[in-house]
Amino acid sequence: MMTSNFTRRAALALGLSAASLLAMAPGAGAQQFPDRTVTLVIPFAAGGSTDVVGRIIAQKMSDDLGQQVVVENVAGAGGNIGADRVARAEPDGYTILMGTVATHALNPLILKTKPYDPEKDFTPVSLLVVVPNVLVVNPQLPVKNVQELIALLKAEPDKYAYASSGNGTPLHLSGELFKAMAGVSIQHIPYKGAGPALNDVVGNQVPIMFDNLPSSSSHIKGGTLRALGVTTAERAPSFPDVPTIAESGVPGYETYTWNALFAPAGTPKEVVDRLNASANKAMTDPEVIEKMNGFSAKIVGSTPDELAAHVKAELAKWGPVVKDANIQID
């Protein structure tokens, strides 16, 4: 009886030891990923372009991963608050970021105090989409095209204002670049995200905005906003009748944004690879393709290394622009 009990105790101890060794083995947790909910941090308010893209992708990734990918909007400071939260999160893949050109190129260049390093503090996962911006106005503003807007702004300097999703964001920089290239004077009103800004433009509290095309598209189609021009070098396929700003009297004007997935630095490669495969699979889903095409978002779906190279190139591209515009934010 004692032998039998000892044998059972020894077997149990050996079993526990084996389980402990397996749990401590490199990549053991990664092989089981995910076994609980994944949080996708959107660093802007609900309703903006990044939020729209993020929710579409989160739904499809939930289906593929077998665990819920829950969207959490953490807005403020032009995307910095949400990005910083992910940079400081446990590097296990359960907290990831929908990053943008703002969080990973513009903010690091513009801010005097930098809460994170866009390259060292994150692990790239996948570049998802490139998104056009659009210059929109409230229909009550008496302009029908870019040239009429420029004429109005020159006739009444500083009378009008434009809204943006926050200081240092791509939409802010789009407005500042327009001011410089068109030679106009217009005030800037920053919001905590594109959604609240868009609401005020629709309500005519602020008459003008540079917005991401996805979040403005329904308002343009519904007539609650008037599109004067897209910010890309070519017209958007979903709005072929809307000219580019460059062809409307501001030659050479071009800005756009992008959305990409990032995990905290130090996230295991196996977890990154699983997230990358899931995100890129989502980008090939017919429903996702249809929705992205509906607002002219160009689908990419990259490797982690390709996203890392993209971030490096964006920092190099925007550095001189920020310097020439002398944009610095405390």
Side-chain angles (χ1 to χ4, degrees):
M1 191 70 162
M2 289 179 61
T3 302
S4 176
N5 287 336
F6 173 78
T7 302
R8 284 197 295 270
R9 287 197 299 270
L12 178 61
L14 287 171
L16 290 172
S17 297
S20 299
L21 288 171
L22 284 172
M24 292 187 294
Q31 291 172 3
Q32 301 168 6
F33 178 86
D35 60 9
R36 63 180 189 273
T37 297
V38 175
T39 298
L40 173 59
V41 173
I42 306 292
F44 298 100
S49 168
T50 302
D51 181 68
V52 172
V53 173
R55 290 178 187 277
I56 292 171
I57 301 306
Q59 179 186 349
K60 294 301 178 180
M61 288 184 69
S62 296
D63 296 340
D64 177 65
L65 293 171
Q67 296 287 343
Q68 286 295 309
V69 177
V70 178
V71 168
E72 183 178 352
N73 296 92
V74 183
N80 271 359
I81 295 175
D84 187 47
R85 174 181 166 181
V86 176
R88 297 172 186 273
E90 190 72 24
D92 54 13
Y94 289 98
T95 304
I96 56 178
L97 175 72
M98 182 62 77
T100 70
V101 64
T103 61
H104 280 72
L106 300 182
N107 290 353
L109 293 169
I110 290 170
L111 293 175
K112 292 180 180 178
T113 303
K114 307 178 192 308
Y116 57 82
D117 186 298
E119 296 180 284
K120 294 179 181 178
D121 291 337
F122 294 90
T123 299
V125 177
S126 178
L127 176 62
L128 302 176
V129 293
V130 174
V131 183
N133 297 329
V134 61
L135 170 58
V136 293
V137 298
N138 184 281
Q140 294 183 40
L141 194 70
V143 297
K144 295 293 194 297
N145 54 54
V146 172
Q147 291 184 340
E148 289 183 2
L149 176 63
I150 292 173
L152 178 67
L153 297 177
K154 285 185 175 181
E156 301 180 273
D158 289 324
K159 177 180 178 180
Y160 297 96
Y162 75 94
S164 84
S165 53
N167 283 317
T169 62
L171 305 182
H172 174 203
L173 208 62
S174 293
E176 293 304 306
L177 187 62
F178 179 80
K179 284 169 58 176
M181 295 184 70
V184 297
S185 182
I186 180 173
Q187 299 178 53
H188 171 231
I189 301 179
Y191 286 76
K192 289 185 177 181
L198 196 62
N199 288 339
D200 274 6
V201 178
V202 171
N204 204 30
Q205 278 75 38
V206 184
I208 305 164
M209 182 176 179
F210 287 85
D211 190 26
N212 300 131
L213 187 55
S215 53
S216 281
S217 58
S218 62
H219 292 288
I220 296 169
K221 292 174 181 176
T224 53
L225 288 177
R226 178 181 297 134
L228 301 187
V230 293
T231 65
T232 42
E234 299 177 351
R235 295 191 181 197
S238 57
F239 291 92
D241 294 333
V242 178
T244 68
I245 293 176
E247 71 179 277
S248 302
V250 192
Y253 182 92
E254 181 183 18
T255 68
Y256 56 86
T257 189
W258 43 266
N259 294 114
L261 284 184
F262 294 88
T267 301
K269 183 179 184 302
E270 296 87 350
V271 171
V272 174
D273 289 344
R274 182 71 183 97
L275 289 168
N276 174 270
S278 182
N280 288 350
K281 180 181 178 181
M283 301 315 295
T284 66
D285 184 277
E287 184 181 354
V288 172
I289 292 172
E290 182 180 0
K291 288 180 178 179
M292 296 299 172
N293 287 343
F295 45 67
S296 297
K298 179 183 177 183
I299 291 175
V300 183
S302 75
T303 66
D305 286 344
E306 288 169 342
L307 175 54
H310 177 76
V311 170
K312 191 177 293 292
E314 286 287 274
L315 287 165
K317 178 182 78 174
W318 284 109
V321 176
V322 170
K323 184 178 180 180
D324 290 345
N326 195 29
I327 301 175
Q328 285 285 294
I329 299 173
D330 293 330

